[in-house]
Amino acid sequence: MLNQKENVILIVDDNPNNLKLLFDFLKDSGFKVLVAKDGESAIEKLQEVSPNIILLDVMMPGIDGFETCYRLKASVVTKDIPVIFMTALTDRVDKVKGLSMGAVDYITKPFQQEEVLARVQLHLGLRNLTKTLEEQNVLLKEEIEARREAEAALQKLTSELEQRVASQTAELRQAVNELQQAQIQLLQREEKLGHDAFHDALTDLPNRAWFMNRLQQAIDLSYRREDYLYAVLFIDLDRFKVVNDSLGHLVGDELLKSVARQLQASLRHTDAVARFGGDEFVILLEDIKDIDEPNRVAERIQNQLRQPFNLNDYEVFTEISMGIIVSTMGYDRPEDILRDADIAMYYAKAQGRGRYEVFDPAMQTVARTRLQLENDLRRAIALQEFCVHYQPIVSLSTGQVSGFEALVRWHHASGIIYPPAEFIPVAEETGLINELGWWVLQEACHQIGIWQQEFPQTPPLAINVNLSGVQLKQVNLLNRIEDILQQTGIPSYCLKLEITESCILETVSREEKMLKQLKALGIQLCIDDFGTGYSSLSRLHEFPIDTLKIDRSFVSRIGVDNSGVEIIQTIVTLARSRGMDIVAEGIETPTQLQKLRDLGCELGQGYLFSKPVDSFKATELLGLKVGVVSWPAI
């Protein structure tokens, strides 16, 4: 057994990061470690110490590793110290040069700690064994010479020495065998590293790099054989994030592994499936017989994956969205195929998920339109093409305006006015929502401050501003809001931030802490579109919510089939039990208004009172309505 504490290692490298990495790792492994930053200082240090092994970098300022090794081997003092080169060079000539100069091995950068430790231990063991054998052989020669002088004991001595030599030969053979086994293990390790470079660690499926190479081979073959057809299926699991968030990443990982096995089992041995990361898988169908075959494979896979997976005592259901590309489209590059397959997959998701779509060039037009919208949105923010409209929030019992919801509108340079539903999702995906959101908050707070001075009332007018999940993740959210409140001079309790129910469902501990800090600042918090995600009821007590907004889909059913009344009553009861306000969205008829009043809903907004209007018309509404019970049917 190698006693590492008795072995001294000298590391010679001009890179401080490499020195620190190897120093820490080898020291933690039990070795005594010395360092030198270049070849000259290493040679100087070797005048004072004699390490058991030297790890020598090839590329260094001053004398490089090869010259340093040459000088070490030329010195009687240092010639027997094993030298292992450390290099990023992959040229076989450089390796042969190093070994021919007396180095015993090389280690390739970037370092693999297991490889470094294995090679160091291997050559330390070999050196210690060699030194031991040399010392023993010296002793044996001395004993032979001494016993030759004693002629009477010569025969006995010869027999003993033969036995000892035979024993040591057996030990040497055993040591050689152990060294060979260590070499085999190193080769196996290299093979594993090669495998890992082209395979996904979780599912052991081929990865993107492997797949791209295989797809290029299929493209090349299609140009050599006119009858050769292939297809690519781009797969994404629908709502995989929900599984991760609700059941944990361990269950999510098990689901990915189960899906991988199911996909492999669904294909021929000539086909290939790879994982691109996350919940994305890609399939290559080779040498297909007709262009409809990928559709049949897609349907078969979707039917199989609709069956429940039993994972860690959970029954998990999943569906997939899939985009299909057939080689008849005529592609030269794998990147173009994956681009269009990805477009088709997202088109399938947009059509309702759990389905597949075959790529059509028209989809690319849609994607370009989406990209153009994103570019226009970036320019719109720079050119300030946005304005804020305000929809009044009204007391259902008195008709008094209690505040407004601020809603952003985009006046596009073409003259089109885009509603939020058409550009807010793009802004969230691109991160532009942060800059736009701060602008809306600043404008809304400034306007409500003006109204509070012009129309004083008790309690003062409040402003509701939507806060996206992307904004909630900003680390400077609290400080920015404090600055805006200070600049506009409105009390913090007059600002109400609206967060969607889906955002609440996806909130993690950091965002939850941020919500509590906003509440501590005096800002009110509101859940928008409440009732569309029933699972949030179980988490409602975790958040400092002041107001629930009943989703307009329930209000719209009043007077039609009344199917939303029971849900509204449940939400009102829940809100009252927790001391929360209730606001009903989308009130459009007197019947809806009366029913909501009967159910105990205090506040509402909708076209029955006013659609969202600009600040001038909103000011007119305040002049007419504040304190006056004159809304329709009130």
Side-chain angles (χ1 to χ4, degrees):
M1 185 71 180
L2 183 65
N3 188 348
Q4 297 179 167
K5 292 183 179 180
E6 297 176 0
N7 287 283
V8 179
I9 300 175
L10 173 61
I11 306 171
V12 186
D13 196 321
D14 65 307
N15 188 315
N17 292 331
N18 290 343
L19 283 176
K20 186 176 188 312
L21 176 67
L22 288 173
F23 180 90
D24 292 343
F25 165 64
L26 293 172
K27 184 178 180 181
D28 291 342
S29 299
F31 295 97
K32 181 177 179 181
V33 184
L34 305 175
V35 298
K37 64 181 181 180
D38 52 39
E40 292 92 340
S41 59
I43 293 172
E44 182 178 349
K45 183 166 292 190
L46 288 169
Q47 304 305 314
E48 303 173 359
V49 297
S50 180
N52 299 84
I53 196 166
I54 299 172
L55 302 184
L56 179 59
D57 187 25
V58 171
M59 304 301 293
M60 293 186 299
I63 62 171
D64 61 11
F66 295 134
E67 176 62 21
T68 303
C69 181
Y70 175 80
R71 296 186 186 184
L72 293 177
K73 294 304 175 181
S75 171
V76 177
V77 177
T78 59
K79 65 181 181 65
D80 295 325
I81 301 175
V83 174
I84 298 179
F85 275 125
M86 302 183 296
T87 178
L89 301 174
T90 57
D91 192 356
R92 181 174 174 272
V93 174
D94 294 309
K95 296 175 182 177
V96 170
K97 178 180 178 181
L99 295 174
S100 65
M101 296 184 71
V104 297
D105 208 342
Y106 69 91
I107 298 171
T108 304
K109 298 179 183 178
F111 302 118
Q112 296 287 335
Q113 293 184 350
E114 296 91 344
E115 178 188 8
V116 173
L117 184 60
R119 292 188 185 277
V120 167
Q121 289 180 331
L122 171 67
H123 291 290
L124 283 175
L126 183 60
R127 182 172 188 258
N128 291 341
L129 179 62
T130 302
K131 288 181 65 177
T132 300
L133 291 176
E134 289 174 352
E135 293 170 356
Q136 290 178 347
N137 284 337
V138 170
L139 293 174
L140 286 175
K141 290 179 181 179
E142 292 175 353
E143 290 179 10
I144 291 173
E145 186 64 29
R147 291 188 181 245
R148 281 178 179 172
E149 296 176 0
E151 294 181 0
L154 181 59
Q155 187 63 40
K156 181 180 179 181
L157 175 61
T158 302
S159 176
E160 291 176 353
L161 291 177
E162 288 176 351
Q163 292 177 3
R164 293 180 64 180
V165 169
S167 175
Q168 290 178 0
T169 301
E171 291 177 0
L172 181 59
R173 286 174 180 168
Q174 182 179 355
V176 171
N177 182 62
E178 291 175 353
L179 292 175
Q180 290 174 340
Q181 291 299 317
Q183 187 68 26
I184 291 172
Q185 291 175 0
L186 285 175
L187 291 174
Q188 291 173 341
R189 171 64 177 167
E190 290 178 356
E191 290 177 0
K192 184 178 184 303
L193 290 174
H195 174 86
D196 293 346
F198 292 100
H199 287 77
D200 172 53
L202 178 65
T203 63
D204 202 40
L205 289 178
N207 60 15
R208 176 187 287 269
W210 183 94
F211 189 87
M212 296 294 274
N213 182 62
R214 178 75 172 267
L215 183 53
Q216 184 63 61
Q217 294 175 17
I219 293 172
D220 296 341
L221 184 57
S222 69
Y223 280 100
R224 295 196 300 270
R225 282 179 46 191
E226 293 184 0
D227 63 336
Y228 178 79
L229 291 175
Y230 65 89
V232 171
L233 284 61
F234 199 105
I235 299 171
D236 186 87
L237 271 62
D238 294 331
R239 305 190 188 283
F240 175 70
K241 188 176 186 299
V242 175
V243 176
N244 264 348
D245 292 345
S246 58
L247 302 180
H249 288 275
L250 291 179
V251 175
D253 288 348
E254 289 302 317
L255 176 60
L256 292 173
K257 289 191 283 189
S258 297
V259 169
R261 288 192 293 268
Q262 190 71 265
L263 292 175
Q264 285 180 305
S266 303
L267 301 175
R268 304 168 301 175
H269 72 278
T270 56
D271 301 325
V273 57
R275 181 187 177 216
F276 274 22
D279 58 345
E280 292 182 343
F281 297 86
V282 184
I283 292 173
L284 174 63
L285 303 178
E286 294 205 61
D287 203 14
I288 58 177
K289 303 307 176 187
D290 57 74
I291 60 174
D292 293 325
E293 184 174 343
N295 298 16
R296 296 191 293 270
V297 173
E299 290 172 0
R300 183 174 72 246
I301 291 174
Q302 286 186 322
N303 290 332
Q304 290 173 341
L305 291 181
R306 287 191 181 104
Q307 302 303 313
F309 293 92
N310 293 309
L311 308 171
N312 297 355
D313 298 326
Y314 294 103
E315 190 175 56
V316 178
F317 291 85
T318 188
E319 288 189 331
I320 59 174
S321 295
M322 194 179 315
I324 300 175
I325 290 287
V326 181
S327 59
T328 52
M329 297 289 293
Y331 288 95
D332 296 321
R333 303 193 312 161
E335 295 84 357
D336 296 338
I337 295 177
L338 293 178
R339 177 201 62 207
D340 290 348
D342 191 31
I343 290 174
M345 184 272 293
Y346 274 103
Y347 192 83
K349 281 188 178 291
Q351 299 305 308
R353 303 175 185 269
R355 54 184 293 150
Y356 67 86
E357 291 287 343
V358 179
F359 177 76
D360 185 287
M363 295 179 184
Q364 212 167 55
T365 302
V366 174
R368 290 195 187 99
T369 302
R370 164 68 169 72
L371 180 61
Q372 184 62 50
L373 180 63
E374 178 184 329
N375 293 336
D376 288 351
L377 185 58
R378 293 182 186 276
R379 285 193 292 269
I381 291 176
L383 298 175
Q384 296 184 348
E385 294 179 353
F386 297 94
C387 68
V388 179
H389 282 196
Y390 302 89
Q391 186 172 35
I393 299 173
V394 180
S395 168
L396 299 189
S397 60
T398 68
Q400 184 179 37
V401 176
S402 66
F404 291 89
E405 179 180 0
L407 298 165
V408 66
R409 297 290 186 268
W410 177 10
H411 288 268
H412 192 272
S414 64
I416 300 173
I417 299 178
Y418 285 107
E422 294 190 25
F423 66 86
I424 290 297
V426 179
E428 289 181 334
E429 290 177 23
T430 57
L432 296 173
I433 191 65
N434 291 326
E435 186 175 353
L436 179 59
W438 288 124
W439 180 84
V440 172
L441 183 61
Q442 179 81 41
E443 287 291 307
C445 289
H446 174 71
Q447 184 61 58
I448 203 68
I450 294 174
W451 283 332
Q452 285 177 352
Q453 293 181 10
E454 189 174 351
F455 303 99
Q457 64 181 64
T458 304
L461 290 167
I463 189 70
N464 289 35
V465 181
N466 292 283
L467 185 72
S468 77
V470 178
Q471 291 174 277
L472 187 59
K473 298 180 186 296
Q474 295 181 82
V475 294
N476 64 338
L477 178 68
L478 196 66
N479 292 335
R480 289 288 297 271
I481 291 178
E482 283 185 296
D483 290 342
I484 290 174
L485 291 175
Q486 186 175 5
Q487 292 168 16
T488 57
I490 69 168
S492 59
Y493 58 82
C494 292
L495 173 61
K496 184 173 290 187
L497 297 176
E498 295 194 10
I499 306 166
T500 63
E501 189 171 13
S502 59
C503 179
I504 285 289
L505 290 175
E506 296 172 0
T507 297
V508 295
S509 58
R510 191 173 69 82
E511 286 85 6
E512 183 179 341
K513 181 180 178 182
M514 179 65 74
L515 290 175
K516 292 177 179 178
Q517 289 175 330
L518 289 169
K519 179 65 177 176
L521 192 62
I523 295 169
Q524 297 191 66
L525 300 174
C526 171
I527 298 182
D528 193 15
D529 302 330
F530 190 78
T532 56
Y534 303 108
S535 57
S536 66
L537 294 173
S538 62
R539 297 193 65 195
L540 192 59
H541 69 281
E542 302 174 16
F543 305 99
I545 304 301
D546 300 283
T547 303
L548 299 182
K549 268 196 170 182
I550 300 172
D551 185 67
R552 65 182 65 248
S553 62
F554 303 120
V555 175
S556 66
R557 298 174 195 167
I558 297 175
V560 179
D561 59 9
N562 286 325
S563 59
V565 172
E566 184 177 344
I567 294 176
I568 294 174
Q569 183 65 73
T570 301
I571 295 173
V572 171
T573 302
L574 173 66
R576 283 179 172 173
S577 69
R578 299 191 178 278
M580 300 176 185
D581 298 330
I582 287 291
V583 178
E585 294 183 297
I587 303 174
E588 297 183 356
T589 67
T591 301
Q592 294 170 352
L593 172 61
Q594 185 57 48
K595 189 63 180 179
L596 288 166
R597 292 178 65 190
D598 294 342
L599 291 172
C601 186
E602 305 116 337
L603 301 167
Q605 62 186 105
Y607 281 13
L608 182 64
F609 307 115
S610 172
K611 65 181 181 180
V613 294
D614 60 32
S615 59
F616 299 104
K617 292 182 180 179
T619 303
E620 293 177 1
L621 288 176
L622 281 172
L624 292 172
K625 306 297 182 180
V626 169
V628 180
V629 184
S630 56
W631 296 109
I634 292 185

